[in-house]
Amino acid sequence: STIVLVFEAPIGEADPQTGAHKGWTWAVEKGQRVKMGQALGYV
Amino acid sequence: LRTALNDSKIQWFHIPVGLGIGFLGLVQFYRVSKREREKQEFEGQDAEGKAKKRPRIRHEGPWQVQLMSALPLKALSRLWGKFNELEIPYYLRVPGFKLYSYIFGVNLDEVAEPDLHVYPNLAAFFYRTLKPGVRPLDPNPNALVSPADGRVLQFGQIEGGDIEQVKGMTYTVDALLGQRTPTPSISSASQSDDEGDASVRSRELREDGELVKKDEEFARVNGITYTLPDLFSGGSKFKKHSDLEDQSVKPSAVSVAEVGVDLALGEKPWYDLLSEERRHSLYYAVVYLAPGDYHRFHSPTNWVVERRRHFAGELFSVSPYLQRTLPGLFTLNERVVLLGRWRYGFFSYVPVGATNVGSIKINFDRELRTNSLTTDTAADRAAEEAQKRGEQYAGYAEASYEGASPILHGHALRKGEEMGGFQLG
């Protein structure tokens, strides 16, 4: 079985002033095994 | 072994086996003849210029896919479910479940119930719960967490309405989530039936004081209010596109541009608006649960579910191999689309069934019945009625959770909260 998540989030990009990454950031790799509760990504 | 095979007398239960095979043959014969009859009607009508019928979706792919699509998958799945509800003899349960765990890699130390005798059959063991604390949530408050144990098959940003650019797994968001906003005839599946409300309600958007009617309001992106139809359906041309027989065809720039033309929001395609403002976009992630995984699923974040769309589709296997070979697999399979919002706007959660795990359970939706003969026949009846009315059948049964909370207009879920699960058959 499969679960598909489709969601809206701020676009991930580097902040021009500070250079820090802001917006949506993935925290997984393709094919990675995950456990329930593990981060898929964050804003 | 050879002497045992040669010497032992083989007893066939020919009558029940014969009846079983005969029954499956009859079911398949009925489906094929019904499909052929529809096909003939469809061609006949078109020539006479009557209202267009919903084209049958043809499953493309290698011979395995053709073979699968000819099988009565739903009937097989229900049989599989019934088989797994057969009670296992008490003394065979522990060795049986340990063998299953050894084959599929189940970690029995995490199972909440230490005594495996408690599980009367495999279906109950499959829907086991875990010990509290064995699945801690990620400490980052801004993190979106995995809804279940599994493998991340795909993830990325949605460009131009396509969920995936890799060959063989491209389909449109519309095909996955459905295209239309709810019509007043939807039923209410809220927890307390007496509060159910079967109509679409208007709602104020307080943040900027602008009053927006419900079916026109979907999200505030970059200062512009979008309606769900605008963002996900884009008018009849797009609808026609999503009905294309071969979902794997990536929309040509022209067809998508046509979508843009249809939008009430101006001449630019909707996704251009999103990307150009570079502030909000749509993302997706696909998590595959293997047979040995913990099959209850949880909420990945704090969000409000407003409605659900149940597509009583097919039940192809969703193994990674078939995901690669059968285009648009997720738009064909039975699935429950939960639509709502989180802090950054739109949020949807789509559990997709498979042949061996055909039943999807949502804890807060007592009305929902998946992989059942009644919902399949109801879906077929709805399709026929829509066809008689000359309308296009949306392909799903919709229910609203607005009655769950008059303030939130939906059912609120917290991060990590159990939402339901997949059950065998």
Side-chain angles (χ1 to χ4, degrees):
Chain A
S1 30
T2 303
I3 297 173
V4 181
L5 300 175
V6 178
F7 54 94
E8 178 189 2
I11 291 178
E13 55 194 358
D15 189 321
Q17 279 103 20
T18 61
H21 188 79
K22 60 177 187 152
W24 178 256
T25 310
W26 290 104
V28 286
E29 293 295 329
K30 197 169 180 178
Q32 177 182 340
R33 283 231 17 114
V34 289
K35 294 284 186 188
M36 194 285 288
Q38 182 179 337
L40 292 178
Y42 51 90
V43 177
Chain B
L1 182 64
R2 191 184 309 115
T3 45
L5 279 176
N6 290 341
D7 297 343
S8 59
K9 189 164 156 295
I10 296 176
Q11 280 199 325
W12 291 91
F13 300 99
H14 50 279
I15 293 178
V17 170
L19 284 176
I21 291 171
F23 172 72
L24 284 176
L26 270 178
V27 168
Q28 185 53 24
F29 173 75
Y30 165 73
R31 288 187 62 193
V32 169
S33 53
K34 190 176 163 203
R35 185 168 60 207
E36 290 311 314
R37 201 171 46 247
E38 269 181 11
K39 192 172 82 177
Q40 282 157 11
E41 277 172 16
F42 175 71
E43 277 137 23
Q45 270 186 349
D46 242 6
E48 293 154 12
K50 274 200 193 133
K52 202 164 168 24
K53 265 176 58 76
R54 179 175 57 130
R56 295 288 305 167
I57 293 179
R58 287 270 166 258
H59 310 304
E60 303 295 337
W63 64 271
Q64 297 97 325
V65 171
Q66 299 296 332
L67 178 69
M68 248 196 158
S69 62
L71 290 175
L73 292 175
K74 295 208 111 179
L76 286 174
S77 176
R78 282 190 279 271
L79 273 177
W80 172 245
K82 287 280 175 276
F83 172 74
N84 282 295
E85 285 168 7
L86 295 174
E87 190 155 334
I88 300 174
Y90 186 82
Y91 292 103
L92 286 182
R93 294 175 187 176
V94 171
F97 293 145
K98 284 195 173 176
L99 176 64
Y100 179 90
S101 305
Y102 172 76
I103 294 172
F104 293 105
V106 174
N107 181 353
L108 288 176
D109 298 332
E110 297 179 339
V111 177
E113 180 53 58
D115 176 18
L116 296 182
H117 291 103
V118 169
Y119 299 110
N121 51 42
L122 184 58
F125 177 70
F126 189 80
Y127 204 55
R128 62 198 177 276
T129 53
L130 296 182
K131 284 179 182 149
V134 294
R135 291 289 179 276
L137 296 182
D138 189 277
N140 179 353
N142 296 324
L144 188 75
V145 298
S146 175
D149 287 5
R151 181 184 305 278
V152 177
L153 284 191
Q154 303 290 348
F155 63 89
Q157 188 171 349
I158 293 178
E159 305 280 351
D162 286 342
I163 281 229
E164 171 49 36
Q165 305 306 325
V166 174
K167 177 178 173 308
M169 258 197 81
T170 302
Y171 41 90
T172 65
V173 175
D174 285 343
L176 176 72
L177 303 181
Q179 285 151 348
R180 277 189 202 65
T181 50
T183 56
S185 62
I186 54 173
S187 64
S188 155
S190 60
Q191 274 173 335
S192 52
D193 283 343
D194 52 0
E195 290 167 325
D197 176 8
S199 67
V200 173
R201 289 210 197 140
S202 62
R203 188 175 89 164
E204 287 179 49
L205 273 182
R206 281 183 183 46
E207 291 90 338
D208 55 9
E210 185 183 344
L211 186 63
V212 179
K213 259 174 76 2
K214 179 70 180 155
D215 55 358
E216 288 175 1
E217 157 254 327
F218 144 70
R220 292 206 49 79
V221 179
N222 308 330
I224 301 174
T225 298
Y226 292 97
T227 68
L228 202 56
D230 296 338
L231 197 59
F232 282 102
S233 59
S236 55
K237 281 196 191 64
F238 196 76
K239 249 184 257 155
K240 190 180 81 181
H241 170 74
S242 65
D243 283 349
L244 268 180
E245 287 183 305
D246 176 359
Q247 296 286 340
S248 69
V249 174
K250 241 168 53 176
S252 62
V254 170
S255 67
V256 176
E258 282 166 336
V259 164
V261 164
D262 280 351
L263 284 182
L265 290 178
E267 297 310 319
K268 280 196 277 183
W270 65 273
Y271 58 90
D272 261 358
L273 275 176
L274 276 176
S275 57
E276 263 184 72
E277 308 296 284
R278 305 279 328 146
R279 283 178 58 205
H280 268 219
S281 181
L282 284 177
Y283 295 89
Y284 73 96
V286 179
V287 177
Y288 165 73
L289 289 79
D293 282 334
Y294 163 61
H295 265 73
R296 292 178 185 242
F297 46 70
H298 296 248
S299 173
T301 184
N302 299 326
W303 68 300
V304 175
V305 186
E306 293 179 351
R307 52 187 157 202
R308 126 321 242 166
R309 293 178 174 171
H310 171 209
F311 293 77
E314 255 307 338
L315 277 178
F316 289 102
S317 154
V318 288
S319 63
Y321 162 75
L322 212 62
Q323 291 192 30
R324 284 192 302 274
T325 49
L326 181 58
L329 173 64
F330 295 146
T331 58
L332 297 175
N333 266 19
E334 178 155 15
R335 62 195 181 279
V336 177
V337 176
L338 299 174
L339 298 170
R341 300 165 193 284
W342 69 323
R343 63 191 296 183
Y344 299 108
F346 174 74
F347 196 86
S348 69
Y349 188 108
V350 187
V352 181
T355 316
N356 56 337
V357 190
S359 297
I360 300 166
K361 197 167 168 331
I362 304 288
N363 291 350
F364 51 85
D365 189 334
R366 282 179 300 168
E367 209 185 272
L368 179 67
R369 288 287 171 280
T370 58
N371 194 14
S372 79
L373 211 51
T374 44
T375 43
D376 286 355
T377 39
D380 286 344
R381 205 177 318 121
E384 280 163 19
E385 280 163 17
Q387 176 197 352
K388 278 187 201 122
R389 290 194 302 269
E391 290 170 5
Q392 185 155 8
Y393 173 53
Y396 51 82
E398 188 153 48
S400 157
Y401 302 128
E402 300 215 0
S405 160
I407 298 172
L408 294 175
H409 294 284
H411 177 80
L413 288 164
R414 282 181 286 98
K415 185 188 282 190
E417 177 182 343
E418 183 186 310
M419 291 173 59
F422 294 102
Q423 292 177 324
L424 285 178

